[in-house]
Amino acid sequence: KQEVTQIPAALSVPEGENLVLNCSFTDSAIYNLQWFRQDPGKGLTSLLLIQSSQREQTSGRLNASLDKSSGRSTLYIAASQPGDSATYLCAGEGGSEKLVFGKGTKLTVNP
Amino acid sequence: EAGVAQSPRYKIIEKRQSVAFWCNPISGHATLYWYQQILGQGPKLLIQFQNNGVVDDSQLPKDRFSAERLKGVDSTLKIQPAKLEDSAVYLCASSLGGQGDYEQYFGPGTRLTVT
């Protein structure tokens, strides 16, 4: 059974800092890895999707990487801004289109 | 392109009452998902539809939860009777579906409070 762990559970940084969020999964048979952002009281917004044949994806100040052999994914946020404050969730998909989520990392970027 | 629509956004009911949630996926998306997100947790899949057929409902508490997707478009999720532990956000998502690397797109969710 796939289990996804996100570390740290919460993170507070000053504006402008570069940061890394970590995601690990127990079953290396990951097909896709998707990172989401969730604002309080809102649904999930897809940030990046790393497909089975890829190792990383970039969008603006965000970069996500996937290492299936070690069972790890990281989300790198460059030059953080207060608007980046949210909960970030990673989810792995094992080929059945079923996503298994971590509990998320709550990020606070202080002005 | 319109996103995934859900209603209502909020619902408060007493335990043992029934409640229904509605979802309209992105046009053309064959796969539809219902997730339950308890406060402080990641979303957990309840049921997955491919067109109007159920692909996975292994985590759906079938004694009280039911879902349908008539005509392979919009879907309803029902809880009857509700329990206190059903208080959560119910998220609907959709994807193009089929074999391949398709992203899931989420609606805003319905926040259910059972008192």
Side-chain angles (χ1 to χ4, degrees):
Chain A
K1 177 184 175 184
Q2 181 72 265
E3 293 185 3
V4 179
T5 302
Q6 292 188 246
I7 295 173
L11 181 64
S12 180
V13 301
E15 182 177 1
E17 190 163 298
N18 302 326
L19 59 101
V20 175
L21 307 181
N22 296 294
C23 173
S24 62
F25 37 93
T26 55
D27 186 346
S28 61
I30 286 282
Y31 199 67
N32 301 319
L33 195 291
Q34 200 165 352
W35 282 92
F36 295 88
R37 167 184 174 139
Q38 187 171 33
D39 293 285
K42 302 289 181 64
L44 277 65
T45 301
S46 179
L47 297 174
L48 292 165
L49 168 67
I50 305 177
Q51 299 180 358
S52 58
S53 59
Q54 300 171 328
R55 286 195 166 184
E56 67 176 319
Q57 279 288 331
T58 297
S59 176
R61 295 182 293 106
L62 305 180
N63 175 274
S65 65
L66 174 61
D67 183 346
K68 294 182 182 181
S69 62
S70 66
R72 298 170 67 111
S73 176
T74 59
L75 177 66
Y76 175 81
I77 303 177
S80 58
Q81 303 171 357
D84 294 331
S85 298
T87 295
Y88 291 81
L89 294 150
C90 72
E93 188 253 309
S96 64
E97 302 179 42
K98 172 183 173 180
L99 287 176
V100 178
F101 283 84
K103 293 183 178 182
T105 294
K106 184 176 181 180
L107 173 65
T108 302
V109 181
N110 301 300
Chain B
E1 157 180 280
V4 177
Q6 290 188 246
S7 67
R9 292 295 314 279
Y10 306 93
K11 190 74 176 179
I12 301 173
I13 62 172
E14 295 181 351
K15 60 183 179 183
R16 292 187 288 274
Q17 286 187 325
S18 62
V19 64
F21 313 127
W22 174 83
C23 172
N24 186 253
I26 293 173
S27 178
H29 280 195
T31 306
L32 184 147
Y33 314 80
W34 282 103
Y35 290 86
Q36 180 192 57
Q37 186 177 24
I38 293 172
L39 187 64
Q41 305 287 318
K44 180 186 80 171
L45 180 70
L46 292 175
I47 189 167
Q48 174 185 351
F49 291 94
Q50 179 81 13
N51 295 309
N52 59 351
V54 175
V55 175
D56 185 344
D57 64 356
S58 58
Q59 298 191 91
L60 186 73
K62 298 180 186 65
D63 58 333
R64 298 183 301 106
F65 286 65
S66 64
E68 60 182 10
R69 191 184 184 197
L70 299 176
K71 302 180 181 179
V73 182
D74 55 356
S75 175
T76 55
L77 175 70
K78 297 180 181 178
I79 307 175
Q80 182 179 11
K83 293 185 175 182
L84 295 176
E85 59 260 37
D86 298 331
S87 294
V89 176
Y90 291 84
L91 296 162
C92 179
S94 69
S95 69
L96 283 170
Q99 293 298 316
D101 306 317
Y102 297 120
E103 286 185 74
Q104 292 190 24
Y105 297 86
F106 283 75
T110 296
R111 181 176 298 275
L112 173 67
T113 302
V114 182
T115 63

